[in-house]
Amino acid sequence: MMLKEPEVLFSEEIIQERVRELASRISADYSETEELVLIGVLRGCYIFLADLSRRLKIPRRIEFIAVSSYEHKTTPGTLRLIMDTRTDITGKHVLIIEDIVDTGQTLHYLLDMLGARKPASLKTCTLLRKPDRLVKDVHIDYLGFDIPDLWVVGYGLDYADRYRALPYIGFVNEES
Ligand code: IMP
Ligand code: MG
């Protein structure tokens, strides 16, 4: 099967510029914090988290979490934790790092679950958000870009596990 090249939505330069801006805002906001725990939501976050965390000017620790949806099995949108953080976040300052907020269900679930562990603070950062698709009202503290209802790929994001390593963010038609 021939793979069509995705159409560019955000170039590598635009993404890097925005990541720099987010990193400097986060560094300023947490300048008094002893240590910030960044929790990346696998797998889509891995490139964004790598770039963002390297640009932060504050002490930070990296953790990962993975969730999977039960779609096709039970209730659509029901989520389940498949990998947890290695260390306890109770009393810690935590920032969740997402690649994209689509319906908001993943982030809503994570905010509930991690919030119950009583972190000192719990905030959210996502590179992308699709406002037209939101069904859960989730607050985003640090947002890269709002995008239209398109399937986007690259910079960590995939379509059927393809395209993750593209340096830019593009979109593909469901047929391609
Ligand atoms: P949610 O609907 O906000 O819970 O998003 C669930 C997950 O779906 C995101 O974290 C992404 O991993 C994935 N996702 C949603 N939209 C896209 C997209 O356009 N491209 C790639 N992955 C997406
Ligand atoms: Mg994700």
Side-chain angles (χ1 to χ4, degrees), residues 16-69:
Q16 293 303 328
E17 175 64 32
R18 194 72 185 122
V19 171
R20 262 197 299 278
E21 287 169 9
L22 290 173
S24 68
R25 272 183 51 208
I26 294 167
S27 298
D29 291 354
Y30 290 93
S31 61
E32 307 291 306
T33 304
E34 200 182 310
E35 183 183 59
L36 177 63
V37 181
L38 302 166
I39 303 184
V41 185
L42 290 173
R43 288 175 285 176
C45 78
Y46 78 111
I47 294 180
F48 177 43
L49 179 58
D51 284 350
L52 184 76
S53 62
R54 281 182 293 186
R55 293 191 185 284
L56 293 177
K57 299 198 164 44
I58 49 167
R60 69 277 190 192
R61 202 146 53 73
I62 312 292
E63 288 279 352
F64 289 101
I65 213 162
V67 291
S68 135
S69 64

Side-chain angles (χ1 to χ4, degrees), residues 41-45 67 97-101 106 157:
V41 185
L42 290 173
R43 288 175 285 176
C45 78
V67 291
I97 310 291
E98 261 280 31
D99 51 351
I100 185 164
V101 173
T106 304
L157 292 143

